[in-house]
Amino acid sequence: MYILSVTALLLGVVSCKTDDVEEGSIIVPTDPVLIPDAAFGEYLLYNQTPGVYEQQDGNEINYYLNPTEVISVSELLLSKTASNIETLQKAGLATADVKITDLSGLEYFIGLQRLALTSNSVREIDLTSLSALEQLEINFNLIGQLDLSGNPELTTLRYHGSGNAEESELLSELDLSANTQLRHLFLPDHNLVNIDLSNNPNIDEMLDLSGNPGPDSDTDTADIVVPDAIYNQLGEGNRLGVISDAHAETIVTLTAAPSTFSEDEGASVITASLNMATDKDVTINLNFSGSATLDEDYTVENTSLVIPAGETSITTTITAIQDADEEGNETIEITASDVQNAELNTSSPLILTIEDDDKSIPLVLNEILYDPSNSGLDGDANGDGVYAQNEDEFIELYNDSDEALDVSGFKVYDTENLAADIPNHLIPEGTVIPAHGVLVIFGGGTPTGDFGGAIVQTSTFGDLNLNNDADILTITDADGKVIITFDVEPYSNNPNEALTRYPDVTGEFTRYKDIDNGFKFTPGTKADGSPF
């Protein structure tokens, strides 16, 4: 039996108040500390971790740690891979298949040298008190920010990005300046564009940055620049996703966040970033076009940017100008010219959208499915008994008014078809959405079901052709005025379910896994399956 029953000891410690002990930079209490995450606590107990105890509190079993004892622990192995879960299930752990999400209490393991947490669901981790930490293995967690400034002894960092992670749950930057002893760096499939390894000359075992977008935004190219000395001391199979600074050109890339913003004083930050620092100033002139007009629809802080020598980025801000004109959504196309002392990453324009808040057409995109699940019939959104990705894609449009809305001649586009002026779907003449009614448009197939009494159509083009990334849905009225846009890029590339406004009609777009109501989509009905 792996459980250590020490209730009496705990009760004795609780009843005896003593002064806390200062250990390094952390105050170590002598009273027991509750471990709020049962999966964390039970795993520690199963491993017979010194200073970790179980206690019956009424009808609940809680887990505690004694801070003065756990400071001697040097290794914590808490991974939840399939084989780990099987072992824990055989041992009878109640939380065997429950992922650890909360590491409260970890800060007291100040003597820890190795921490393995692979395949859990941790989103935040505080390592600042673990100054002795040498090996950190956190593959397939959901940690979007990692502070390693308090871990100067770190030699190994392994953190493979999770395929289930949202954009904010992947690393987009990482400061390793304090980790001068680092020898093994494994960070595939995050959102890193570049990384500064100038303080990490000892990396000689592994350097894997594959699957990161890098400066060209292509996860398949090896273009993250690293020092030549590090590059050359690694074998070819142990340096992935990187290029030596001795062979790399200086590349400048333009990005914008957010890509869509409100006319009501909304703003977007434009960043010009280099793949590596250079000893010369890099200058970039920005050019603006599109349906929105500079100084009428928006202002720009600076149209000429200078990245100083030794720096790797510069920003400028675009701010929308509010007006009372009903213009529909407008676009800004940004290109760079006269780039000096660097090469431009791409000649394709950066496209931003200003959302018009004066539009009077009360049509709301309430739900969109651009990536149906490919697991059996889990993705059969149109209910015809066949899974076909292009046919099961759909959009749900809600008439947010007390009057019927004639949408005859409205057009639906994806990015490719908008450029070619060929609608993916032309809404037929005579299509009138009742007051507070719904129109559902599927990619194809034979939609079968009630769909909450909604009007149901299939794409006149053959499918909606919505890509899982880098695609924008655009809906225009019969006059060609843009009334709805939806940018797929900010959301997960492969959600395997729909995005719906939550609450319906007025809320933000939300994945069904976060609503947690058992649905993957609800075409024609509210997110809970009830009629509008």
Side-chain angles (χ1 to χ4, degrees):
M1 193 71 173
Y2 72 89
I3 295 177
L4 305 177
S5 182
V6 289
T7 303
L9 174 58
L10 267 176
L11 291 176
V13 174
V14 169
S15 63
C16 178
K17 297 292 183 180
T18 59
D19 293 334
D20 292 342
V21 177
E22 184 171 356
E23 189 76 33
S25 61
I26 185 171
I27 301 298
V28 179
T30 55
D31 288 346
V33 174
L34 174 68
I35 302 171
D37 188 317
F40 181 30
E42 191 178 27
Y43 209 153
L44 290 171
L45 193 65
Y46 166 75
N47 286 338
Q48 299 185 16
T49 306
V52 176
Y53 313 106
E54 173 194 59
Q55 178 170 304
Q56 186 83 29
D57 294 331
N59 295 325
E60 294 185 353
I61 295 177
N62 289 319
Y63 300 93
Y64 294 84
L65 62 82
N66 186 329
T68 61
E69 292 186 54
V70 300
I71 61 175
S72 64
V73 175
S74 62
E75 181 178 70
L76 289 180
L77 305 180
L78 301 167
S79 296
K80 288 265 178 124
T81 63
S83 60
N84 294 134
I85 290 173
E86 183 179 358
T87 299
L88 297 177
Q89 287 174 331
K90 289 179 179 178
L93 272 70
T95 60
D97 60 352
V98 178
K99 303 289 188 179
I100 297 170
T101 61
D102 186 350
L103 289 172
S104 296
L106 179 66
E107 64 269 24
Y108 298 113
F109 290 80
I110 58 179
L112 200 62
Q113 295 176 340
R114 181 188 179 195
L115 175 60
L117 278 167
T118 295
S119 297
N120 280 284
S121 296
V122 175
R123 287 179 168 80
E124 296 181 3
I125 184 168
D126 183 358
L127 303 171
T128 53
S129 65
L130 309 186
S131 60
L133 190 65
E134 297 177 4
Q135 299 179 56
L136 179 60
E137 302 163 38
I138 50 176
N139 294 318
F140 308 115
N141 278 272
L142 305 171
I143 302 166
Q145 294 183 333
L146 193 57
D147 181 359
L148 300 175
S149 60
N151 315 111
E153 303 301 320
L154 194 68
T155 62
T156 299
L157 172 59
R158 295 184 60 84
Y159 180 17
H160 194 299
S162 171
N164 296 320
E166 304 285 353
E167 293 295 307
S168 61
E169 296 167 341
L170 297 169
L171 296 177
S172 58
E173 60 183 4
L174 183 61
D175 183 354
L176 296 173
S177 59
N179 312 113
T180 58
Q181 303 304 310
L182 198 63
R183 301 185 63 190
H184 184 117
L185 183 60
F186 179 79
L187 296 172
D189 295 339
H190 285 279
N191 281 334
L192 296 170
V193 173
N194 50 49
I195 192 166
D196 183 358
L197 299 181
S198 58
N199 285 352
N200 312 103
N202 295 313
I203 296 177
D204 60 359
E205 293 182 353
M206 170 63 70
L207 178 56
D208 188 344
L209 300 178
S210 59
N212 283 276
D216 69 352
S217 301
D218 186 346
T219 57
D220 293 327
T221 57
D223 62 344
I224 296 182
V225 179
V226 300
D228 186 58
I230 293 177
Y231 186 87
N232 288 328
Q233 67 193 15
L234 290 159
E236 185 174 346
N238 291 332
R239 58 186 189 210
L240 305 174
V242 299
I243 186 173
S244 165
D245 61 6
H247 304 106
E249 289 185 316
T250 303
I251 305 294
V252 62
T253 302
L254 293 180
T255 57
S259 60
T260 300
F261 53 100
S262 171
E263 177 186 71
D264 187 13
E265 299 183 357
S268 179
V269 176
I270 309 303
T271 301
S273 56
L274 300 178
N275 59 335
M276 60 180 180
T278 177
D279 59 359
K280 298 178 181 179
D281 290 351
V282 174
T283 60
I284 310 106
N285 287 334
L286 301 180
N287 308 305
F288 299 88
S289 60
S291 59
T293 303
L294 180 61
D295 294 329
E296 291 184 11
D297 297 305
Y298 64 95
T299 60
V300 181
E301 187 179 22
N302 294 297
T303 59
S304 182
L305 305 179
V306 178
I307 303 176
E311 302 293 327
T312 57
S313 67
I314 192 73
T315 63
T316 190
T317 300
I318 293 179
T319 304
I321 298 174
Q322 176 66 290
D323 60 36
D325 299 331
E326 188 182 325
E327 305 160 304
N329 293 348
E330 296 178 290
T331 60
I332 305 171
E333 296 187 11
I334 305 172
T335 57
S337 63
D338 299 326
V339 178
Q340 297 182 20
N341 299 321
E343 296 293 325
L344 185 62
N345 182 31
T346 177
S347 58
S348 300
L350 194 62
I351 300 178
L352 309 182
T353 300
I354 301 176
E355 290 187 321
D356 186 14
D357 60 355
D358 303 306
K359 60 188 178 186
S360 60
I361 298 176
L363 195 62
V364 176
L365 176 65
N366 191 64
E367 186 171 349
I368 180 170
L369 177 62
Y370 58 84
D371 183 40
S373 171
N374 58 8
S375 176
L377 293 180
D378 285 354
D380 181 24
N382 63 16
D384 62 2
V386 178
Y387 166 72
Q389 179 156 351
N390 289 342
E391 295 180 352
D392 288 306
E393 291 178 343
F394 73 84
I395 58 174
E396 177 186 84
L397 301 173
Y398 175 76
N399 175 10
D400 188 23
S401 75
D402 296 328
E403 298 178 0
L405 178 64
D406 188 348
V407 293
S408 304
F410 283 34
K411 299 174 183 178
V412 180
Y413 300 86
D414 74 333
T415 298
E416 181 180 356
N417 281 29
L418 181 64
D421 197 24
I422 302 173
N424 299 70
H425 181 61
L426 174 63
I427 297 180
E429 287 296 317
T431 303
V432 178
I433 306 175
H436 303 290
V438 177
L439 167 63
V440 177
I441 303 170
F442 288 100
T446 307
T448 304
D450 178 61
F451 302 108
I455 300 171
V456 177
Q457 299 176 357
T458 57
S459 167
T460 53
F461 179 79
D463 60 55
L464 295 177
N465 198 35
L466 298 173
N467 296 326
N468 292 357
D469 60 359
D471 208 351
I472 296 176
L473 171 76
T474 301
I475 300 176
T476 67
D477 66 11
D479 297 323
K481 182 171 61 179
V482 175
I483 58 171
I484 290 174
T485 59
F486 179 87
D487 187 357
V488 170
E489 186 65 25
Y491 299 92
S492 171
N493 290 345
N494 298 287
N496 293 315
E497 60 182 353
L499 288 165
T500 185
R501 292 188 184 274
Y502 191 77
D504 288 275
V505 183
T506 60
E508 298 292 329
F509 281 103
T510 306
R511 289 179 60 173
Y512 273 95
K513 77 166 189 176
D514 296 323
I515 300 174
D516 195 23
N517 63 2
F519 292 112
K520 289 184 178 294
F521 43 73
T522 57
T525 68
K526 295 180 180 179
D528 63 5
S530 63
F532 282 93

